Amino acid sequence: MVVEKIAHIGIAVESIEQWIGFYRDVLGLEYGGSEEVPEQKVRVAFLTIGESSIELLEPTSEDSPIAKFLEKRGSGIHHIAIQVDDIEAALAKHHEAGAQLIDNSSRIGAHKMKIAFVHPKASGGVLLELCEPYH
Ligand code: CO
């Protein structure tokens, strides 16, 4: 299993529309459009930054995990996504090490990625998203 790069940094916001201007126009990142991920009750917008991107996350419902995060902590960094070449192997390694996972198996996320979340307790307080592109 190879860890390839930081795929994206997820930032929780109340409204993508409110913040897209900063990331696109002031910071100057290329805006790759937004898509809704109904399973996670979020809308996500991707802005390219080199080999990685910034992912803005906006809740689409009051019981969205992002809505709960915003209530508790306000907007800010929500997770870091790490791209691997074999997500099942990465999960097996976590299981073996006894690292706490939120997802015991991978599921389909935004942008044609298989994803699984690692619990912040396993990583020193940062929610990690493992992801593997599929075609
Ligand atoms: Co993400």
Side-chain angles (χ1 to χ4, degrees):
M1 193 269 298
V2 178
V3 177
E4 295 174 336
K5 64 177 185 178
I6 289 180
H8 61 262
I9 294 174
I11 299 177
V13 293
E14 299 279 357
S15 153
I16 288 172
E17 204 189 336
Q18 183 186 354
W19 293 104
I20 194 75
F22 171 77
Y23 288 95
R24 184 190 53 204
D25 306 329
V26 180
L27 199 52
L29 305 184
E30 189 188 327
Y31 177 41
S34 74
E35 76 178 270
E36 202 172 321
V37 187
E39 308 81 52
Q40 292 167 59
K41 296 176 180 167
V42 290
R43 168 166 289 281
V44 298
F46 277 96
L47 296 119
T48 308
I49 176 162
E51 294 252 302
S52 305
S53 52
I54 299 272
E55 177 187 67
L56 299 180
L57 302 140
E58 169 194 291
T60 53
S61 136
E62 275 174 21
D63 60 345
S64 160
I66 296 301
K68 286 173 194 152
F69 178 90
L70 289 167
E71 243 170 63
K72 258 196 233 165
R73 306 215 225 160
S75 62
I77 293 181
H78 176 261
H79 66 272
I80 295 176
I82 293 171
Q83 186 171 313
V84 297
D85 70 338
D86 184 345
I87 194 167
E88 309 307 336
L91 288 171
K93 212 170 161 188
H94 281 70
H95 279 300
E96 209 176 298
Q100 195 176 337
L101 295 165
I102 291 173
D103 301 304
N104 286 312
S105 54
S106 69
R107 54 196 166 95
I108 301 305
H111 275 240
K112 297 204 164 185
M113 291 278 192
K114 293 199 275 183
I115 65 163
F117 283 96
V118 178
H119 200 282
K121 278 183 187 158
S123 63
V126 182
L127 177 62
L128 294 181
E129 175 186 350
L130 300 173
C131 61
E132 177 196 333
Y134 70 90
H135 306 285

